[in-house]
Amino acid sequence: MEKDIQLLGGRVSEDKELIAQLVHEEVVKNVPAAQLETNKAFIETVTKTRIHFVELIGESISNSCDVRKVYADIQEWGEETGNFFLETGRSLEDALAETSLYRKHIGTVIKTEAVHKKMELQLLFDVMEFFHSLLDHAAYSYTQAYTASYQRKLKSARKEFLELSAPVVPVSDHIAVLPLVGNIEIDRARYILEKTLLAANQLKISVLIVDLSGVVRVDAMVAEQIIKIIQSLKLVGVRSILTGIRPEIATTLTEIGVDLKVLEVGGSLKRVLEQMKVN
């Protein structure tokens, strides 16, 4: 029985290039020739990956007696390939869609060889069951690695975004502007508070103009964070001036109990800078 299993695994490994080609042909059957030519280098890389995967499946079937090592090898492949394809821009959906193609073409090779060699039906069932479990584990490992890498990239991108969210821009020796743009959710507001205090200390400014003209929406929680920025700056001796306050923002500030009279509010950023004679 073990010899027959090794024979089936060996046949899969031997037909790795053919199987990879069949998978490729089905994947690209509706892709324009011009697009294929443009992506020729990437397609070659993907083809090599497919060949390696088919060979790995064949070797895993041949070595099915060592289940722990087989699954460890499959997982290693999934992790490496998932990370690689994320970095090269391949979608998770496209990669997982190929699973059914591997099932079909590798399965056909196994069944054809088993029939040709007149192997017992029970052995074929066992091998096919093991083969399907290998594909499922490969898909799971690939998905886990791809998703984990994607989450790390999102976290890194968010960190970069936050670092650009508090651009304290000096316009003179003692005056700086903090232009706020877009939606300011609570996490971003807290980050802005921390970065603004740090920048104010580093730049040795005495006046910070907080411009809200580019802010899309300010809810009660975000408004509270803006007030905290102003209050915190006051504690370290920095005068704050709010500019670009639209009626809806003023309404929000009023609704949370902020007395606009205690805030130093200017009109537009341009007007305040002109009044302060900043060139």
Side-chain angles (χ1 to χ4, degrees):
M1 179 179 291
E2 183 176 339
K3 183 179 179 181
D4 287 339
I5 293 175
Q6 290 177 346
L7 183 63
L8 293 176
R11 171 54 61 189
V12 171
S13 296
E14 290 173 14
D15 289 349
K16 59 187 176 184
E17 294 183 1
L18 172 61
I19 294 171
Q21 181 61 30
L22 292 172
V23 171
H24 169 72
E25 289 175 358
E26 291 206 46
V27 170
V28 304
K29 61 183 178 182
N30 296 319
V31 179
Q35 184 176 338
L36 293 177
E37 184 62 29
T38 301
N39 297 320
K40 187 175 181 180
F42 181 67
I43 291 174
E44 290 177 355
T45 299
V46 173
T47 298
K48 290 178 182 178
T49 301
R50 289 179 180 136
I51 292 173
H52 173 60
F53 178 61
V54 175
E55 183 176 33
L56 178 61
I57 292 295
E59 291 174 350
S60 298
I61 293 173
S62 296
N63 299 320
S64 58
C65 57
D66 192 352
V67 176
R68 180 176 295 182
K69 182 180 185 305
V70 164
Y71 275 82
D73 290 343
I74 291 289
Q75 181 162 342
E76 182 180 355
W77 175 90
E79 291 173 352
E80 291 179 356
T81 308
N83 290 327
F84 171 73
F85 280 128
L86 174 63
E87 293 300 323
T88 54
R90 195 178 194 211
S91 72
L92 179 61
E93 291 79 7
D94 288 344
L96 292 180
E98 291 188 14
T99 302
S100 62
L101 301 180
Y102 287 114
R103 289 189 196 280
K104 179 173 74 172
H105 293 299
I106 296 178
T108 297
V109 168
I110 293 173
K111 287 181 282 188
T112 300
E113 184 68 11
V115 171
H116 178 68
K117 297 297 183 181
K118 298 180 181 180
M119 295 181 183
E120 294 182 6
L121 191 59
Q122 184 59 53
L123 181 141
L124 176 59
F125 286 158
D126 291 342
V127 171
M128 289 299 295
E129 182 180 359
F130 183 64
F131 160 60
H132 288 309
S133 73
L134 292 176
L135 276 186
D136 291 340
H137 189 62
Y140 174 79
S141 301
Y142 180 99
T143 302
Q144 287 289 94
Y146 189 102
T147 303
S149 293
Y150 185 73
Q151 292 295 333
R152 286 194 296 271
K153 288 177 72 71
L154 281 181
K155 186 176 181 180
S156 177
R158 177 164 178 77
K159 182 180 179 182
E160 292 178 7
F161 168 74
L162 288 177
E163 289 175 350
L164 297 172
S165 294
V168 177
V169 183
V171 293
S172 73
D173 290 342
H174 302 292
I175 301 173
V177 177
L178 173 60
L180 300 179
V181 179
N183 271 331
I184 305 179
E185 77 281 3
I186 189 64
D187 289 342
R188 183 183 172 198
R190 288 171 178 165
Y191 185 85
I192 289 173
L193 171 60
E194 296 174 5
K195 294 292 290 185
T196 301
L197 290 174
L198 180 61
N201 179 63
Q202 292 176 337
L203 296 172
K204 307 298 182 184
I205 60 174
S206 57
V207 178
L208 179 67
I209 303 172
V210 182
D211 184 57
L212 304 178
S213 58
V215 174
V216 176
R217 180 180 61 86
V218 175
D219 58 21
M221 295 182 69
V222 172
E224 289 178 3
Q225 292 298 316
I226 293 174
I227 299 305
K228 283 183 180 180
I229 292 174
I230 295 172
Q231 293 173 339
S232 299
L233 289 169
K234 185 177 181 180
L235 291 176
V236 295
V238 177
R239 171 189 169 195
S240 299
I241 303 174
L242 287 176
T243 63
I245 296 182
R246 300 191 302 278
E248 59 268 29
I249 295 179
T251 300
T252 301
L253 292 172
T254 301
E255 288 175 350
I256 66 172
V258 176
D259 185 359
L260 294 179
K261 295 180 181 179
V262 304
L263 299 176
E264 188 170 353
V265 180
S268 67
L269 174 60
K270 179 181 178 181
R271 182 179 177 183
V272 170
L273 291 175
E274 288 175 346
Q275 290 173 345
M276 302 187 77
K277 297 181 179 179
V278 176
N279 297 319

